[in-house]
Amino acid sequence: MSKQVQEIAADCRQLPERYIRQEDKEYGNVTNADVFLPAEIPVIDVSLLTSSPLELDKLKSAIINWGCFQAINHGIESSFLERVREIGKVFFQLSPDEKKKYLREEDDVDGYGNDTVVSDHQILDWTDRLYLTILPRDQQKIQFWPQNPPHFREVLDEYTCKIELIYEVVLKALARSLNLQEDCFLKQYQTTEKTSARFNYYPPCPWPEKVLGVKPHSDSSAITLLLQDKEVEGLQFLKDGRWFGVPVVPGALTINVGDQIEIMSNGIFKSPVHRVLVNSKKERMTVAVFCPVQSEGVIGPIDALITDETPRLYKNVTYTVDSYFQIYQHGGRPVDNYKI
Ligand code: OGA
Ligand code: NI
C-alpha cells in the first residue's frame, strides 16, 4: 500500500504527481475554486418534520434545489457531536504505526487507508480515511475499530443508534413530501442493508489549488449525514454549473440525498455532485455516515410515481460491494448509468 496522505503532507517539498488534478471540463477546475461562494442551504428543524407541513415543504424544496439541507434539532446534543469529532481527531493523531494496525486490506472497504487504486491514470484524493461498517451490527468488522482512543467504540456505537433514528425520520419525511406512504422508501430495503461511517481526514496542503480532498462525485447512499469539521470549511455542492461552499452551522448535520433516493423518487430528487477543497494551513476532519450503502435486494422507482406524464426513468438496480470501488473511483454520478 502506498503512503498515507498524512505522511506525504508531513514532508511535502514537492507535490507527488498522482495528486495533481487535470483540467476538468465537466465539473470545472480546482483553480477557479479559490472563491468559496457560500451556499444558501436551507436549515431544517428535524423535530418539526412530522407535525409541520411548512417545514416539510421547506425540506422538499431544499432537496429539489440543492440535494441537501442543514439539519438542526435532530436529537443529538452538540456536546455529543463534539465527542464524535474527538474520537476521529485522536485516531488520526496516533503514530503511523499505531494507525496501520487498522489498515484496510487491498480489496476490502473497511479499515484505514487512502484511495484504493483501480487504475494507473487515477488521480488520488488528498485524504486519509477510516471506513467502518456500523450496521447491521453483526456485519461490523470489529478488528478495524480503533482501540485507541479507548472510548472509540462506545462513542461510535451510541452515534450509530442516534443516526438510525434520524435516518428513519428523514426517509419518512421525504416520502410524505411527495404524498407517498411514509414507509415506501424504507420498505424497499431488506433488513441486511449496510450503513457505514467514514472518518475523513484532510491534511493541510501547500498547493491547495492543485489537489482535491475528494473529487466531484455523488454518493451511492440513500442519504448521507455529514458531521462537518467545527471550524474548517471545504465541502462544495455543484448547482447550475457553479460550486457553492457549505458553511459550518454549529450543531447541525449536513444531510444530502444519494443515488438511491434519486432512483426511488424517479428523478424528482437528484443526487447532488459535490467535492472537497483542502486548506493550505489547517487540517480538516469530517464524519460521513452513508445510509444504506449496499443492497442485496433490488431498488427501483416507486410505482406510485410512474405515470403516463412521468414515465419510469431508471432501471431496477442492485448495489454490491464489488461495484463500490469501481464506481466511487470513477467519480461523477454513477446513477446516470442506471437511466433508461
Ligand atoms: C464523502 C464526502 C464530504 C466532506 O465522504 O462522500 O462527500 O466534507 N465528504 O468530507
Ligand atoms: Ni460524498
Side-chain angles (χ1 to χ4, degrees):
M1 169 156 319
S2 54
K3 263 191 177 177
Q4 310 305 317
V5 176
Q6 197 172 3
E7 295 173 65
I8 297 171
D11 179 27
C12 199
R13 277 162 289 190
Q14 203 187 359
L15 185 61
E17 203 69 32
R18 304 216 60 175
Y19 290 89
I20 301 176
R21 291 283 150 191
Q22 313 291 330
E23 198 179 328
D24 187 336
K25 291 207 179 67
E26 191 172 4
Y27 295 119
N29 294 340
V30 198
T31 30
N32 23 358
D34 28 80
V35 256
F36 199 76
L37 270 179
E40 309 252 324
I41 295 175
V43 176
I44 304 286
D45 185 331
V46 175
S47 73
L48 293 179
L49 283 175
T50 40
S51 59
S52 160
L54 217 66
E55 205 65 14
L56 198 62
D57 261 0
K58 213 168 128 187
L59 173 72
K60 182 179 173 184
S61 75
I63 300 295
I64 286 177
N65 288 318
W66 289 98
C68 69
F69 63 100
Q70 302 272 25
I72 57 162
N73 286 334
H74 40 57
I76 311 183
E77 300 271 345
S78 294
S79 57
F80 186 74
L81 293 179
E82 200 39 50
R83 295 188 71 197
V84 177
R85 286 192 185 100
E86 201 218 272
I87 55 168
K89 287 211 161 154
V90 171
F91 173 75
F92 286 110
Q93 278 161 11
L94 298 176
S95 70
D97 283 347
E98 184 68 22
K99 285 193 291 263
K100 280 179 184 161
K101 290 184 186 164
Y102 308 99
L103 264 189
R104 177 168 55 70
E105 274 148 39
E106 203 66 41
D107 50 359
D108 202 354
V109 187
D110 283 60
Y112 165 67
N114 53 1
D115 259 354
T116 301
V117 178
V118 295
S119 88
D120 290 343
H121 313 291
Q122 183 184 331
I123 297 165
L124 302 178
D125 291 340
W126 190 261
T127 183
D128 292 331
R129 311 179 170 112
L130 174 66
Y131 190 101
L132 301 170
T133 299
I134 50 177
L135 290 172
R137 287 181 175 78
D138 63 6
Q139 287 188 38
Q140 293 177 352
K141 296 185 179 168
I142 215 73
Q143 68 270 30
F144 295 113
W145 290 47
Q147 284 176 308
N148 193 352
H151 51 283
F152 186 100
R153 294 179 181 189
E154 183 192 319
V155 172
L156 186 54
D157 264 334
E158 192 174 336
Y159 191 50
T160 302
C161 295
K162 293 174 192 279
I163 290 278
E164 259 185 301
L165 299 175
I166 303 175
Y167 165 68
E168 203 176 309
V169 171
V170 171
L171 248 65
K172 284 182 174 173
L174 289 173
R176 273 188 290 114
S177 79
L178 298 178
N179 297 317
L180 298 168
Q181 295 219 318
E182 69 170 10
D183 58 354
C184 72
F185 290 145
L186 287 166
K187 250 189 358 212
Q188 287 224 356
Y189 292 112
Q190 326 280 316
T191 46
T192 54
E193 239 58 73
K194 268 195 187 180
T195 295
S196 304
R198 185 156 87 184
F199 291 77
N200 301 301
Y201 177 76
Y202 306 97
C205 178
W207 300 276
E209 70 290 351
K210 292 206 167 113
V211 304
L212 280 174
V214 186
K215 66 183 87 50
H217 70 284
S218 68
D219 295 343
S220 61
S221 55
I223 59 170
T224 303
L225 299 89
L226 183 77
L227 176 60
Q228 286 218 72
D229 193 281
K230 214 165 119 181
E231 287 152 23
V232 185
E233 296 171 340
L235 175 62
Q236 295 184 313
F237 281 87
L238 187 67
K239 179 174 157 60
D240 306 327
R242 296 175 76 183
W243 289 104
F244 292 89
V246 181
V248 176
V249 174
L253 290 168
T254 306
I255 301 184
N256 66 271
V257 296
D259 292 1
Q260 295 177 15
I261 283 288
E262 176 166 333
I263 294 168
M264 290 192 283
S265 72
N266 201 30
I268 298 175
F269 294 141
K270 296 263 178 344
S271 179
V273 174
H274 50 288
R275 69 179 187 182
V276 176
L277 304 183
V278 295
N279 194 285
S280 61
K281 305 235 156 48
K282 294 180 187 157
E283 60 181 14
R284 178 168 181 267
M285 210 279 304
T286 65
V287 187
V289 176
F290 303 99
C291 308
V293 189
Q294 288 120 18
S295 151
E296 309 285 305
V298 177
I299 63 159
I302 302 287
D303 286 340
L305 295 175
I306 302 175
T307 66
D308 288 344
E309 294 82 57
T310 57
R312 173 192 262 267
L313 297 179
Y314 302 83
K315 299 174 205 158
N316 285 346
V317 182
T318 314
Y319 284 85
T320 61
V321 195
D322 295 342
S323 63
Y324 172 83
F325 281 127
Q326 296 292 338
I327 288 178
Y328 184 75
Q329 295 307 353
H330 189 70
R333 280 175 21 99
V335 67
D336 290 332
N337 300 329
Y338 306 130
K339 284 188 173 159
I340 287 174

